[in-house]
């Protein structure tokens, strides 16, 4: 399909949505309503008490509510719901004897068990609606990779595609009806303001009160901005238990799985010679890494064709949903460096000597003048990546990203440009060759892996034959900290156990 044709189709769909609005199926879910009422009481208690030992219970409970809303598939297809429900029961039992309101703990545990054992009525209505509309013209929109994996497995008998919001540009022309699994506020405004089809239906449980259709942040300033009307249709048993907790819009955010960032501990000091500024990145599988300001990092895209899945992404492009390919337990840099030296053969000793020479001189200059003064001087000379000067002292980092930056750096250090520049470029090419060889082995391992399980679980291990790379981890980014911390440089890019992102999607 041409780009022009796609734009025309989107305009036609926008006209239909603007004229007829979008539908919201508000579906009774008694089991979910009971659990939601208990969790609202818990959230209110935690907010009133500030830091509270019930925090882990609330995180698990919020994850269960979120998954009940966004993963309505029944029975054996909702393992994520079962996982969260089991965690709620476990956390509630652990708190017995530690808090005064044990009745609330019992209520939450019982309600979680009921949610685990009761299929969501939203799923029943989604299946019925697809069959009624004709599965061949329908598609479903999921809120996350994990939600999509579960929904797709369940809907396979109907041959209905399940997509993420960012994939709707590729939706087939035959698709006329989109069903969205979750409340409108869980999805980007573009789902409505730039619709892929003229028929758009959200399905959500009645106990979630916020039903406003999202609009662009610029809608109030724009003439003729897209503001679709909502047509609500109520279905099923809408009864809910009475709650002593008042409806409060400020509590809506408690439904969203969120990371807990505790603030920067490093202050404004400069990193030491063996330290780096790094973002904490939470990964699926209870993992995390410290991501430094390197140029790129190896990634995997399971949606690409075979042979094109393993690639590199710029560090600034590592966002939620990115799959990182990591060496289990330690960084990849050292192994690639050693592989490159092996490729250099008898030249390796001379190359190591010149690398060690200019890096030692750089360490001495940084120690005498400080990083900030050094960065300013290098920038004045035209070094584009001067902010990374501390990283260049690391043995396994070959040189600045831009070749001419190395020339300028050597001149600033008062060193002869050659043979240091020539040796560094030769070593860099060898690293690229070693990296390309590893990529081929990774592509072969990925071709044999269960990528559906990767999208469902968010992580997997790859076993390859290369010495030093026998255990490779692929893990989806769950969140990235908004600030950096100063950490030991050897700790960067090496995955470690961390439960901070346990309940993120």
């Amino acid at each position: 399909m041409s780009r022009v044709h796609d734009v025309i189709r989107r305009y036609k769909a926008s006209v239909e949505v603007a004229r007829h609005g979008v539908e919201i199926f508000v579906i009774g879910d008694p089991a979910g309503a009971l659990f939601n009422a208990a969790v609202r009481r818990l959230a209110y208690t935690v907010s009133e008490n500030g830091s509270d030992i019930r925090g882990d219970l609330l995180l698990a409970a919020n994850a269960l509510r979120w998954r009940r809303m966004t993963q309505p598939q029944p029975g054996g297809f909702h393992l994520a719901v079962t996982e969260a429900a089991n965690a709620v029961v476990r956390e509630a039992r652990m708190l017995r004897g530690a808090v005064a309101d044990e009745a609330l703990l019992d209520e939450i545990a019982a309600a979680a068990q009921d949610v685990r054992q009761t299929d969501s009525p939203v799923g029943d209505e989604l299946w019925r609606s697809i069959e009624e509309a004709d599965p061949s013209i329908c598609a479903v929109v999921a809120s996350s990779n994990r939600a999509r994996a579960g929904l797709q497995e369940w809907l396979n008998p109907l041959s209905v595609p399940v997509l993420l919001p960012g994939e709707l540009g590729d939706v087939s022309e035959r698709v006329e009806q989109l069903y969205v699994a979750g409340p409108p506020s869980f999805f980007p405004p573009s789902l409505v303001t730039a619709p892929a089809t003229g028929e758009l239906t959200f399905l959500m449980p009645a106990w979630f009160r916020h039903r406003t259709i999202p609009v662009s942040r610029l809608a109030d300033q724009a003439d003729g901005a897209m503001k679709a009307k909502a047509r609500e249709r109520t279905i099923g048993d809408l009864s809910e238990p009475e709650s002593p907790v008042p409806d409060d819009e400020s509590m809506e955010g408690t439904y969203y799985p969120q990371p807990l960032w505790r603030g920067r501990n490093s202050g404004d000091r400069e990193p030491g010679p063996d330290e780096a500024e790094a973002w904490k990145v939470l990964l699926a599988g209870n993992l995390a890494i410290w991501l430094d300001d390197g140029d790129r990092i190896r990634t995997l895209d399971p949606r690409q064709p075979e042979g094109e899945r393993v690639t590199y992404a710029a560090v600034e492009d590592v966002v939620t949903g990115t799959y990182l390919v990591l060496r289990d337990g330690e960084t990849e840099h050292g192994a690639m460096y050693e592989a490159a030296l092996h490729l250099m053969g008898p030249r390796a000793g001379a190359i190591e000597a010149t690398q060690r020479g200019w890096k030692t001189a750089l360490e001495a200059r940084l120690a005498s003048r400080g990083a900030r003064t050094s960065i300013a001087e290098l920038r004045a000379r035209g070094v584009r990546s001067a902010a990374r000067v501390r990283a260049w002292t690391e043995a396994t980092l070959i040189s600045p990203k831009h070749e001419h930056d190395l020339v300028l750096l050597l001149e600033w250090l008062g060193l002869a440009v050659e043979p240091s520049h020539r040796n560094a470029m030769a070593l860099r090419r060898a690293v690229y060759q070693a990296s390309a060889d590893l990529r081929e082995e990774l592509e072969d391992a990925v071709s044999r892996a269960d990528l559906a399980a990767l999208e469902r679980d968010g992580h997997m291990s790859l076993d390859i034959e290369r010495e030093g790379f026998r255990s490779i981890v692929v893990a989806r980014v769950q969140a990235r900290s908004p600030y950096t911390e100063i950490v030991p440089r050897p700790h960067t890019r090496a995955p470690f156990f961390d439960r901070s992102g346990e309940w993120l999607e």
Side-chain angles (χ1 to χ4, degrees):
M1 184 191 308
S2 71
R3 177 64 179 161
V4 172
H5 185 79
D6 180 55
V7 170
I8 292 172
R9 188 164 66 97
R10 287 292 184 107
Y11 268 115
K12 288 181 178 179
S14 297
V15 170
E16 290 299 310
V17 170
R19 179 181 298 153
H20 302 295
V22 300
E23 280 195 306
I24 302 177
F25 287 3
V26 179
I27 302 160
D29 175 17
L34 279 170
F35 182 70
N36 179 59
V39 177
R40 282 175 57 81
R41 285 175 56 197
L42 175 66
Y44 184 76
T45 300
V46 171
S47 66
E48 288 293 296
N49 288 279
S51 180
D52 194 280
I53 62 172
R54 303 171 182 84
D56 287 342
L57 173 59
L58 182 58
L59 288 174
N62 285 338
L64 179 53
R65 288 195 299 183
W66 176 271
R67 294 175 184 183
R68 181 74 169 184
M69 286 189 278
T70 60
Q71 302 184 47
Q73 61 269 24
F77 298 100
H78 64 8
L79 297 180
V81 173
T82 301
E83 175 187 76
N86 290 341
V88 170
V89 174
R90 182 180 66 249
E91 294 292 341
R93 287 174 177 167
M94 289 175 62
L95 287 172
R96 290 189 63 83
V99 298
D101 194 355
E102 292 191 353
L104 177 56
L105 298 180
D106 293 340
E107 182 182 343
I108 288 175
Q113 288 176 318
D114 197 19
V115 167
R116 181 180 59 196
Q117 296 165 0
T118 307
D119 290 343
S120 169
V122 175
D124 294 339
E125 183 59 32
L126 175 59
W127 186 283
R128 188 201 64 77
S129 298
I130 291 172
E131 286 192 317
E132 185 179 86
D134 180 0
S136 67
I137 64 167
C138 295
V140 173
V141 182
S143 63
S144 67
N145 281 287
R146 188 168 193 178
R148 172 173 61 183
L151 287 166
Q152 188 67 79
E153 184 180 7
W154 171 50
L155 293 170
N156 272 338
L158 296 178
S159 299
V160 173
V162 181
L163 307 167
L164 297 177
E167 299 170 342
L168 295 179
D170 300 324
V171 70
S172 169
E173 283 192 88
R174 73 173 185 273
V175 174
E176 302 174 12
Q177 171 73 60
L178 282 182
Y179 290 106
V180 186
S185 60
F186 288 11
F187 295 85
S190 58
L191 203 60
V192 176
T193 58
T197 64
E199 298 287 337
L200 187 63
T201 301
F202 293 88
L203 297 95
M204 59 178 289
W207 49 264
F208 186 75
R209 307 285 189 182
H210 188 57
R211 299 165 193 167
T212 303
I213 300 296
V215 297
S216 168
R217 288 178 292 178
L218 302 177
D220 291 336
Q221 286 76 43
D223 292 330
M226 176 72 163
K227 294 184 178 180
K229 301 184 296 290
R231 307 191 311 274
E232 289 190 17
R233 176 183 168 191
T234 57
I235 301 167
D237 181 0
L238 305 180
S239 61
E240 295 188 30
E242 290 187 12
S243 174
V245 179
D247 287 333
D248 183 354
E249 289 188 5
S250 67
M251 293 185 67
E252 292 294 346
T254 64
Y255 286 87
Y256 296 83
Q258 299 178 46
L260 181 61
W261 306 115
R262 302 186 183 278
R264 179 180 165 99
N265 296 318
S266 305
D268 60 355
R269 72 177 180 88
E270 290 188 2
D274 296 320
E275 294 180 322
E277 295 266 7
W279 293 269
K280 189 176 186 181
V281 176
L282 303 180
L283 305 171
N286 292 333
L287 296 173
I289 62 166
W290 292 107
L291 179 63
D292 62 9
D293 61 349
D295 297 323
R296 60 182 190 165
I297 188 168
R298 200 183 296 273
T299 60
L300 184 147
D301 186 347
R303 312 299 290 181
Q304 293 301 313
E306 186 173 330
E308 300 178 18
R309 293 173 178 140
V310 180
T311 183
Y312 279 100
V315 164
E316 59 266 26
D317 293 335
V318 173
V319 296
T320 300
T322 303
Y323 288 90
L324 300 183
V325 181
L326 304 163
R327 190 180 179 204
D328 192 12
E330 54 186 311
T331 181
E332 181 184 312
H333 285 162
M336 285 291 95
Y337 185 82
E338 291 300 323
L341 287 176
H342 180 73
L343 290 174
M344 301 306 298
R347 297 174 57 195
I351 289 175
E352 277 195 290
T354 55
Q355 287 290 105
R356 188 164 51 250
W358 71 259
K359 287 176 181 287
T360 299
L362 178 56
E363 286 177 350
R365 183 67 63 90
L366 287 172
S368 64
R369 299 194 185 181
R372 290 175 183 171
T373 299
S374 298
I375 290 170
E377 292 181 2
L378 288 168
R379 281 176 174 162
R381 286 174 170 262
V383 177
R384 285 182 285 178
S385 51
R388 299 206 64 231
V389 64
R390 288 183 296 258
W392 299 336
T393 63
E394 183 184 355
T396 58
L397 198 154
I398 308 303
S399 69
K401 176 181 179 181
H402 305 289
E403 182 175 345
H404 191 56
D405 280 358
L406 177 59
V407 173
L408 296 174
L409 174 68
L410 291 169
E411 292 174 347
W412 177 69
L413 292 171
L415 301 175
V417 171
E418 301 299 350
S420 294
H421 167 263
R422 181 172 58 251
N423 285 347
M425 294 305 102
L427 184 57
R428 177 188 281 181
R429 288 191 293 273
V431 167
Y432 287 160
Q433 181 59 57
S435 180
D437 294 342
L438 175 61
R439 178 186 176 278
E440 290 185 10
E441 294 181 53
L442 289 171
E443 285 282 6
D444 182 60
V446 169
S447 70
R448 302 190 304 269
D450 185 353
L451 295 183
L454 172 63
E455 293 203 69
R456 182 190 67 235
D457 301 331
H459 63 97
M460 69 177 184
S461 294
L462 295 175
D463 292 319
I464 61 176
E465 295 302 319
R466 178 186 288 257
E467 184 66 32
F469 286 88
R470 297 197 185 279
S471 184
I472 297 289
V473 173
V474 181
R476 185 168 60 232
V477 173
Q478 307 286 66
R480 175 173 172 165
S481 62
Y483 52 83
T484 60
E485 288 285 2
I486 296 176
V487 299
R489 186 166 291 280
H491 292 181
T492 61
R493 304 197 180 201
F496 58 91
F497 179 78
D498 190 299
R499 291 184 58 185
S500 303
E502 182 175 14
W503 299 117
L504 299 177
E505 286 293 304

